[in-house]
Amino acid sequence: MIDGHQAVFEELESQVRYYCRRVPNLFRSARGAIVRDATGVGFIDFLSGCGSLNYGHNHPHLIAAAIHHLTTGGILAGLDFHTEAKLDFLSKFAGSILVPRGMSYRMQFPGPTGANCVEAAIKLARKVTGRNDIVAFTNAFHGVSLGALALTGSRSSRDASSHLLNGVIRVAYDGYCGAGIDELRRFEAMATDPSGGIDPIAAFIVETVQGEGGLNVATSEWLRALASVAKRIGALLIVDDIQAGCGRAGGFFSFERADLYPDMVCLAKSISGAGFPMSLLLLKPELDVWAPGEHNGTFRGNTLAFATASAALDLWDDDFQRGVAIRANILERWCDDMEMLLPEGNRSWHRDDARAFVL
């Protein structure tokens, strides 16, 4: 028998709900890393909104920005009109994130979710190159709308729409059953061989750290080899940084360690800082061939998210980045200690895993 609030959810909410089945508590409040249920019991939140709360729940600086925006009559639904909040974010992101890294991306706001961003990226890649096929990797997760779902590796995610998922070629991710750079070279040979059976490739899309696929970390060498293969065969390189970006792999971008400059970068989840829906597609200026209004969405102008996203960038000073590095080293040492407690045959993680998610 189901009592209290659980009975209401059981009767009124779809069967698709997932996390609440494992933790059925009724949550009420949160601050930092602690969430509390309606009875006052506290929990350490390791989930962090699936990576959308890098700075913790209700960070005071971000909440202050949200409250200021709301109490001063700030526009909430701005479509793609010019707003002060968007201007502030564009200027601050360019000045504090892109320019110091020698990047000159254009910024597109495709809609509120990571899947919206991925859909925009692959649609643009096909438009720019005139090619159809996208290369995605084993254990990849890019979203559950049809285009993003075609890229996703999970069979359980794909089953309901499997007959609609096409235009994707699957290649082994770094370390998958021993795969490495040789696997990329083999694919390049097939893609450039008129008898190789591979149609021209529009883009490669890759997560430098796979989250949903099991916390797999690509080496810097493999990522650089992938970028070189993409360039040689005339394909674009898209990095899906939705889950690993905004500091979760140490630097603001997860690919900084490999010294990459991808053609496009997908950001969402923690880009707003406070868990408000927002996604951001970074694209090299020469790829910005959209016709006005060709790709749009009602909620691409979530101006409250722009306000908190700008505030989140204020945190990225030298002290903050040094703090991230310190915590990464602590976590790495802890992982090394835990590894030594395991039997030799069970030591399966990659040493780079310790640096995967440090915030």
Side-chain angles (χ1 to χ4, degrees):
M1 181 176 179
I2 300 175
D3 297 323
H5 71 270
Q6 292 187 63
V8 176
F9 290 112
E10 182 71 21
E11 179 182 357
L12 299 179
E13 190 176 4
S14 167
Q15 291 295 324
V16 78
R17 62 193 187 282
Y18 176 74
Y19 292 110
C20 58
R21 296 182 185 276
R22 298 188 176 190
V23 185
N25 302 62
L26 185 65
F27 291 106
R28 174 176 291 170
S29 63
R31 184 65 176 262
I34 305 298
V35 296
R36 297 190 181 278
D37 69 11
T39 68
V41 175
F43 300 81
I44 299 175
D45 182 11
F46 288 99
L47 190 60
S48 301
C50 283
S52 63
L53 296 167
N54 279 5
Y55 312 100
H57 292 272
N58 293 310
H59 189 289
H61 183 62
L62 307 187
I63 293 303
I67 291 172
H68 176 76
H69 188 80
L70 291 169
T71 56
T72 57
I75 293 171
L76 292 179
L79 298 175
D80 63 2
F81 286 110
H82 297 162
T83 64
E84 289 184 340
K86 186 197 288 186
L87 175 63
D88 186 44
F89 175 77
L90 288 168
S91 302
K92 193 175 289 185
F93 191 87
S96 63
I97 302 299
L98 297 183
V99 171
R101 292 165 175 77
M103 298 174 175
S104 58
Y105 289 118
R106 296 267 175 88
M107 293 179 241
Q108 179 183 349
F109 304 99
T113 74
N116 292 141
C117 195
V118 170
E119 296 283 356
I122 60 176
K123 179 178 175 180
L124 182 59
R126 286 165 169 155
K127 177 180 172 72
V128 167
T129 63
R131 302 172 177 181
N132 181 66
D133 286 350
I134 308 289
V135 172
F137 293 91
T138 51
N139 290 316
F141 184 86
H142 299 287
V144 294
S145 54
L146 283 181
L149 186 58
L151 306 169
T152 293
S154 168
R155 181 176 298 167
S156 62
S157 297
R158 295 166 55 90
D159 273 350
S161 302
S162 58
H163 59 292
L164 299 173
L165 308 179
N166 49 52
V168 172
I169 297 172
R170 192 76 54 188
V171 174
Y173 191 77
D174 189 20
Y176 182 84
C177 294
I181 293 175
D182 286 346
E183 190 75 20
L184 297 177
R185 290 172 177 157
R186 187 178 298 110
F187 178 82
E188 180 182 8
M190 293 174 63
T192 54
D193 182 349
S195 298
I198 303 293
D199 290 329
I201 303 300
F204 293 81
I205 184 166
V206 66
E207 305 155 276
T208 67
V209 180
Q210 293 183 328
E212 298 288 334
L215 198 57
N216 305 306
V217 184
T219 63
S220 296
E221 293 75 17
W222 186 87
L223 291 169
R224 286 192 288 267
L226 173 61
S228 296
V229 168
K231 185 174 182 179
R232 287 195 294 268
I233 69 173
L236 303 181
L237 177 62
I238 304 167
V239 170
D240 180 345
D241 231 11
I242 290 166
Q243 188 149 285
C246 302
R248 287 181 67 79
F252 189 88
F253 299 111
S254 71
F255 52 82
E256 292 180 45
R257 61 185 169 89
D259 196 29
L260 296 186
Y261 189 2
D263 296 294
M264 287 185 261
V265 181
C266 298
L267 294 170
K269 289 190 182 288
S270 61
I271 187 64
S272 78
F276 295 124
M278 174 181 172
S279 71
L280 170 61
L281 177 63
L282 304 178
L283 55 146
K284 289 184 175 179
E286 62 269 24
L287 304 179
D288 190 17
V289 298
W290 294 115
E294 185 177 3
H295 191 87
N296 55 37
T298 300
F299 297 107
R300 66 193 183 279
N302 185 349
T303 314
L304 181 60
F306 291 147
T308 56
S310 294
L313 295 177
D314 294 335
L315 304 177
W316 279 85
D317 57 18
D318 291 340
D319 286 342
F320 178 82
Q321 295 183 70
R322 280 193 293 269
V324 171
I326 290 170
R327 289 190 291 277
N329 288 330
I330 292 171
L331 182 57
E332 181 176 14
R333 290 197 300 271
W334 181 84
C335 286
D336 286 343
D337 291 343
M338 292 300 101
E339 183 179 19
M340 297 308 297
L341 297 177
L342 294 173
E344 186 75 27
N346 292 334
R347 297 177 188 175
S348 60
W349 58 36
H350 193 289
R351 285 183 59 86
D352 284 351
D353 289 357
R355 299 186 180 91
F357 296 108
V358 297
L359 278 183

